[in-house]
Amino acid sequence: MKTAERIDAPAVTASRPGRPAGRSLLRIGPWVAIPVRRATVIAAVVTLLLLLGAAVATLSLGRLGIDPADLPSALMGEATGKNAFVLNRLRGPRLVVAIATGAAFGLSGALFQSVTRNPLGSPDVIGLGAGSGAGAAAAALFFPDLVPVPVGALLGAVIAMAVVYFSTGTGFRNPGRLVVSGIGVAAMSTALTQYVVYAVERDKASALTAYINGSLSARSWDDATTIWVVLLVCLPLAALLARPLGIGEMGDDLSTGLGARPARTATAAVTLSIVLSAGAVSVAGPIAFVSLTAPQIAKRVTRSGGPHLVMSTLLGALLLVLADLTAQQLPLFDNLPVGLYTMAVGGAYLGYLLLREWKRPAV
């Protein structure tokens, strides 16, 4: 038996020269070929099953939940009465928005962290979330009857990213300048947001605070259409960047020698990351830490290098659906914004990183 195993292993490797053992290629059309590890495929399948379970729980738990026995027929369009209301108005749009928004945040974080090579990097760091909050606050205070709050959030994110782009002097190509400029923009945006929350009426301030912390309450099918269009447009573009990003993690000099054009790749990846985050923010507000934690969980689950775009996308969706399920069903609090739960998870993750660095012996 041992002899047979030693003969079979080289035979498989020899049939595909130059490809590492345990890997295969996932082809999307004639131009895109993504190396895939078996461990990544298994992790992706498990994540999809967990996401399916979380989605069923979202629709079926609680006093207004749909009975699991009635769920298949309801999803086939046969829902009536209470089930129709829950599926079409109350929880269905909210769930669909949560899946796409989490996926967009997760993919956005993976692109950004791959470019910056920093486990603490995310679009939140460069002020996108804070800029969107400031835009939402400005719309609520200065243009309450003219600009809807979600549109103000999107405009705020775009303006914040434009300020970051021009203030670095190198666009999105230099990760160090990008982070420093983003921190400054985030501080100014947060100051504006806090002023608006202080200045507006109490009822408006409460609603605004819920939005700028990130909320999935009262989402509609129009919101779902918006974020899914953004996600489906960006996914093929992210697939085209997978190989250059993987080569770029070897270092700028080597990737340049291999023809990866790291500066152009960095600009494209950061731009795509911003588009994904801005689309997610426009429908759900600046939900924090999903883009930060999803790529890091993906890295630890797969135990391999690379940008982990697919796993980060799936894990982002799973994290946000679980957080929203907690926000809806946790009996201790009454429908808190989902962003507060993701902040708690992100804070725990940052604490874990600090403890790990503290325990690491000094060199």
Side-chain angles (χ1 to χ4, degrees):
M1 180 63 68
K2 292 183 179 178
T3 305
E5 290 176 353
R6 290 176 182 174
I7 293 174
D8 289 343
V12 174
T13 305
S15 65
R16 287 173 173 82
R19 187 181 305 172
R23 289 199 175 203
S24 57
L25 287 178
L26 174 63
R27 296 189 177 276
I28 305 175
W31 298 285
V32 180
I34 305 173
V36 177
R37 293 173 58 92
R38 293 188 185 94
T40 302
V41 173
I42 294 172
V45 171
V46 171
T47 303
L48 281 172
L49 292 175
L50 291 173
L51 180 59
L52 178 61
V56 171
T58 297
L59 295 175
S60 60
L61 290 181
R63 182 172 57 87
L64 294 176
I66 301 173
D67 189 286
D70 298 332
L71 196 55
S73 60
L75 293 174
M76 294 298 293
E78 300 175 8
T80 58
K82 183 202 76 172
N83 289 351
F85 172 74
V86 171
L87 185 62
N88 298 323
R89 297 281 301 276
L90 186 62
R91 296 187 185 177
R94 182 170 181 162
L95 173 63
V96 174
V97 170
I99 292 172
T101 300
F105 277 130
L107 179 56
S108 173
L111 290 167
F112 195 86
Q113 290 183 16
S114 180
V115 169
T116 59
R117 301 168 199 163
N118 185 345
L120 298 179
S122 77
D124 299 335
V125 174
I126 60 172
L128 187 143
S132 67
L141 178 62
F142 302 116
F143 312 103
D145 300 321
L146 183 62
V147 180
V149 169
V151 174
L154 182 59
L155 292 175
V158 171
I159 293 172
M161 291 305 94
V163 173
V164 170
Y165 181 89
F166 289 108
S167 63
T168 61
T170 57
F172 297 138
R173 294 192 297 273
N174 189 309
R177 293 186 181 184
L178 190 65
V179 171
V180 171
S181 178
I183 291 173
V185 170
M188 292 185 291
S189 300
T190 302
L192 175 61
T193 301
Q194 295 303 320
Y195 165 74
V196 171
V197 171
Y198 176 79
V200 299
E201 299 173 5
R202 179 177 297 178
D203 293 340
K204 292 182 179 179
S206 299
L208 181 59
T209 301
Y211 182 85
I212 63 179
N213 282 320
S215 175
L216 291 169
S217 299
R219 299 303 96 176
S220 67
W221 289 114
D222 290 339
D223 297 318
T225 301
T226 298
I227 186 56
W228 273 101
V229 167
V230 171
L231 184 62
L232 292 176
V233 168
C234 291
L235 280 174
L237 301 177
L240 291 173
L241 288 174
R243 184 174 179 274
L245 287 172
I247 296 174
E249 293 193 350
M250 302 177 186
D252 289 346
D253 293 338
L254 183 56
S255 59
T256 299
L258 294 173
R261 298 180 180 178
R264 182 179 297 182
T265 300
T267 299
V270 172
T271 302
L272 190 59
S273 175
I274 290 171
V275 171
L276 285 162
S277 289
V281 162
S282 70
V283 299
I287 298 175
F289 285 114
V290 174
S291 57
L292 176 69
T293 54
Q296 291 303 304
I297 296 174
K299 180 179 179 180
R300 283 156 178 77
V301 166
T302 59
R303 296 183 179 181
S304 63
H308 305 294
L309 301 184
V310 174
M311 278 304 302
S312 298
T313 302
L314 295 176
L315 284 167
L318 177 61
L319 286 174
L320 190 53
V321 170
L322 289 175
D324 190 47
L325 178 61
T326 304
Q328 294 182 63
Q329 301 299 332
L330 194 66
L332 299 178
F333 306 101
D334 184 17
N335 206 23
L336 287 177
V338 68
L340 296 181
Y341 292 94
T342 60
M343 285 181 189
V345 173
Y349 166 69
L350 290 177
Y352 159 75
L353 282 183
L354 290 173
L355 286 174
R356 191 181 67 173
E357 290 298 320
W358 180 68
K359 292 179 179 180
R360 182 176 297 176
V363 180

